[in-house]
Amino acid sequence: MATSALADRPTAASPPSLEDRIVDGLLECIGRWGIAKTTVEDVARAAGVSRATVYRAFPGGKDVVFEAVVRRESSRFLAAITSRLDAAETLEDAAVIGMVEAARFLTGHEGLRYLLANEPERVLPAFAFHRMDGVLAVVTAATAPHLRRFVVDDAAAVAGAEWIVRLVLSYSIEPRPGLDLTDEVDVRPFVCTYVLPAVTAPHEEP
């Protein structure tokens, strides 16, 4: 009986891992100063650990921690919008949801918003396909299945997902007057005019 009673008790939430504490520390610093002015000592102080601990957890230092930041925040974004994409009934709805939610995430994320506005060169390399762990490849792979329901084949789904991700990044860095990517009313005609024709265009045989 005692064993059963103990098993029924709610357990306390697990404390954040060392890696998460360091990633959170860098995020805090980015929101204040960006990447260029942040040192490993700043990250260690914000995480409540030593400088040596940061290097042991992330050999390579600040740049490696930043890659972990982008990967984790991208995963968090994808987890948040999966249910909405699953509920989309048309390609148009899926594209609109993807663009709007991505833009809202970027503009509402203090650290990423600072970097996109002031240090975009720090963000864009993480979205390069040629990197094995490139966030563009990860996000594209995660969103392509949601488009696959509405397009002719896997290649079209992957191309469409990549196109949408690149558009969101481009317009987040260089906003277009008259187009608010966080507003579905603004985004829907943009999607119908520019995105859907590109995604649904027939692929030529090589």
Side-chain angles (χ1 to χ4, degrees):
M1 292 294 293
T3 302
S4 176
L6 287 173
D8 290 339
R9 292 179 185 175
T11 57
S14 300
S17 67
L18 172 62
E19 289 77 10
D20 279 337
R21 286 168 58 194
I22 294 170
V23 166
D24 287 337
L26 179 55
L27 271 175
E28 179 182 329
C29 293
I30 290 173
R32 293 179 181 177
W33 310 300
I35 285 286
K37 295 181 181 179
T38 293
T39 66
V40 172
E41 287 79 3
D42 294 328
V43 176
R45 190 179 304 111
V49 299
S50 70
R51 182 174 182 272
T53 298
V54 174
Y55 279 108
R56 281 197 298 270
F58 292 94
K62 183 176 70 175
D63 288 343
V64 179
V65 181
F66 178 67
E67 290 177 1
V69 166
V70 177
R71 287 196 303 271
R72 191 188 73 176
E73 296 305 282
S74 297
S75 296
R76 187 166 67 87
F77 159 70
L78 289 170
I81 70 163
T82 292
S83 60
R84 289 206 64 199
L85 287 172
D86 283 342
E89 297 182 353
T90 66
L91 177 60
E92 177 184 326
D93 286 341
V96 170
I97 289 169
M99 293 189 73
V100 169
E101 293 301 326
R104 288 175 179 172
F105 182 82
L106 290 173
T107 58
H109 193 293
E110 185 177 357
L112 290 178
R113 185 176 68 243
Y114 181 96
L115 292 179
L116 285 170
N118 300 282
E119 301 178 52
E121 71 281 358
R122 297 283 183 170
V123 178
L124 297 184
F127 288 86
F129 255 127
H130 69 272
R131 297 174 60 133
M132 186 174 296
D133 62 345
V135 176
L136 176 59
V138 172
V139 175
T140 297
T143 55
H146 297 286
L147 301 186
R148 180 64 183 90
R149 294 181 289 146
F150 311 112
V151 296
V152 294
D153 55 29
D154 291 342
V158 171
E162 181 190 349
W163 173 236
I164 290 170
V165 174
R166 289 188 184 276
L167 280 173
V168 171
L169 283 173
S170 176
Y171 280 100
S172 295
I173 296 170
E174 294 289 342
R176 170 185 169 183
L179 175 62
D180 180 359
L181 282 186
T182 65
D183 185 342
E184 289 192 17
V185 174
D186 269 9
V187 171
R188 192 167 294 277
F190 178 84
V191 163
C192 292
T193 302
Y194 300 106
V195 178
L196 296 187
V199 175
T200 59
H203 295 274
E204 296 183 1
E205 293 294 331

